[in-house]
């Protein structure tokens, strides 16, 4: 962008990229103090930012072609993608970052609502671009992931956990990221597939976190914690969990077994036992479908198609309900 293209802008242009993610295994464990093993992918969202001197933030979403404008000092609430941009500016300012007026454009190649975390990719790219524009020191990546997660929780209205933001901001190339959500300890686990391939398939059934069954599951998990007097579902004693009324008993069973599958996956990858890794994908899918009840018929059909086409293992990825 050349100086003078927009009144009040000059020619500094910053570009930041936020990757999407695939969660290899460990679903609905993040807000339950459990374990997950996601990895960042090459697809994601790019944000281009240049400063404006008039304190306005002007935003251009390129696909579909839509716009927004608001004062950097006082973003108000909005819906859809605008909530992400306004929320990121507001949360950065609340964290003490002097976000200036800005001309922003963003685009990407992640289908929205398909389980590859287009939301976290947008939050990551926006926050990195705005931090650079403000000439502010980057906070550590875990703190930045928490900030992005607040955008999603408080501005977008989706009670999502930290999985997607940590995966987008903290993954290393060639590795999956083992996350322990109780301690936020992160460990890179080399993703050596030894000639096997991981593929994602879009079932075509869009999900919508804020409106879907996701928030209902979070409510059930709060109830489990209250009944068992524990901080996180991952702390549940298996016998006490079995004595819970349904569907709480099977929700708890999913979380406990899924945590165990994450570490079994780490072991399988380290041993190069990809057949065992594939079986864990199948087991995770069955648990998400039967115990967590996060499945929908379109995803079930896609899973069957994968298996019929010869996949060694397959599972739904992300929040489910689409
Ligand atoms: C969505 C949420 C994550 C996580 C997954 C389920 O992707 O954004 O925080 O809860 O669902 O594992």
């Amino acid at each position: 962008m050349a100086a003078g293209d927009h009144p009040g802008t000059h020619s500094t242009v910053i570009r930041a990229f936020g990757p999407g993610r695939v969660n290899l295994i460990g679903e609905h464990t993040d807000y339950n103090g459990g374990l997950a093993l996601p990895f960042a992918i090459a697809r994601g969202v790019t944000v281009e930012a240049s400063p404006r001197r008039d304190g306005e933030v002007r935003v251009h979403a390129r696909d579909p072609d839509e716009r927004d404008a608001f004062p950097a000092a006082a973003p108000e609430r909005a819906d859809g993608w605008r909530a992400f941009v306004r929320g990121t500016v507001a949360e950065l300012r609340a964290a003490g970052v002097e976000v200036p007026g800005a001309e922003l454009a963003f685009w990407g190649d992640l289908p929205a609502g398909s389980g590859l975390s287009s939301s976290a990719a947008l939050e990551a790219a926006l926050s990195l671009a705005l931090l650079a524009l403000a000439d502010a020191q980057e906070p550590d990546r875990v703190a930045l992931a928490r900030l992005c997660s607040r955008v999603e929780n408080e501005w977008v209205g989706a009670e999502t956990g930290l999985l997607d933001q940590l995966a987008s901001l903290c993954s290393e190339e060639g590795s999956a990221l083992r996350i322990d959500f109780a301690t936020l300890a992160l460990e890179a686990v080399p993703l050596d597939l030894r000639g096997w391939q991981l593929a994602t398939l879009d079932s075509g059934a869009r999900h919508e976190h804020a409106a879907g069954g996701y928030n209902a599951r979070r409510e059930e998990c709060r109830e489990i914690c209250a009944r068992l007097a524990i901080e996180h579902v991952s702390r549940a004693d298996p016998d006490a969990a079995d004595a819970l009324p349904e569907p709480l008993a099977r929700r708890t069973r999913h979380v406990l077994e899924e945590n165990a599958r994450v570490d079994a996956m780490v072991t399988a990858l380290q041993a190069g036992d990809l057949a065992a890794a594939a079986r864990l994908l199948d087991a995770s899918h069955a648990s998400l479908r039967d115990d967590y009840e996060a499945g929908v018929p379109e995803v079930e059909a896609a899973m069957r198609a994968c298996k019929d086409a010869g996949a060694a293992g397959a599972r739904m990825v992300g929040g489910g309900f689409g």
Side-chain angles (χ1 to χ4, degrees), residues 127-265:
S127 58
L128 292 171
L130 290 168
L131 281 163
L133 200 64
D135 214 6
Q137 206 190 339
E138 235 191 66
D140 79 66
R141 288 291 177 105
V142 173
L144 192 55
R146 281 184 189 282
L147 186 147
C148 291
S149 171
R150 283 201 296 279
V151 172
E152 193 129 343
N153 295 165
E154 283 159 36
W155 287 77
V156 181
E159 281 192 88
T160 51
L162 261 183
L163 167 72
D164 308 336
Q165 292 77 12
L166 285 173
S168 184
L169 285 161
C170 303
S171 290
E172 289 176 22
E173 185 151 10
S175 290
L177 185 69
R178 180 188 182 277
I179 307 171
D180 180 338
F181 291 94
T183 59
L184 292 188
L186 306 177
E187 185 197 339
V189 177
L191 197 50
D192 179 2
L193 297 178
R194 304 179 180 228
W196 292 52
Q197 285 189 334
L198 282 168
T200 62
L201 178 74
D202 188 350
S203 72
R206 302 264 78 82
H207 72 179
E208 176 53 77
H209 282 150
Y214 188 92
N215 289 359
R217 288 294 173 278
R218 293 216 57 170
E219 185 52 40
E220 289 172 346
C221 290
R222 280 192 286 271
E223 193 183 337
I224 293 165
C225 291
R227 282 172 180 264
L228 299 181
I230 50 177
E231 195 189 344
H232 298 302
V233 175
S234 296
R235 302 289 160 275
D237 171 76
D239 292 332
D242 282 346
L244 286 168
E246 292 296 0
L248 303 183
R250 53 181 191 276
R251 306 289 189 255
T252 312
R253 186 163 62 227
H254 166 75
V255 173
L256 298 181
E257 291 178 359
E258 187 76 351
N259 287 335
R261 278 188 288 270
V262 171
D263 274 339
M265 180 64 86

Side-chain angles (χ1 to χ4, degrees), residues 21 23 26-31 160-164 209 214 318-319:
R21 64 101 188 91
N23 189 17
E27 220 66 271
H28 290 279
T29 49
D30 61 345
Y31 56 84
T160 51
L162 261 183
L163 167 72
D164 308 336
H209 282 150
Y214 188 92

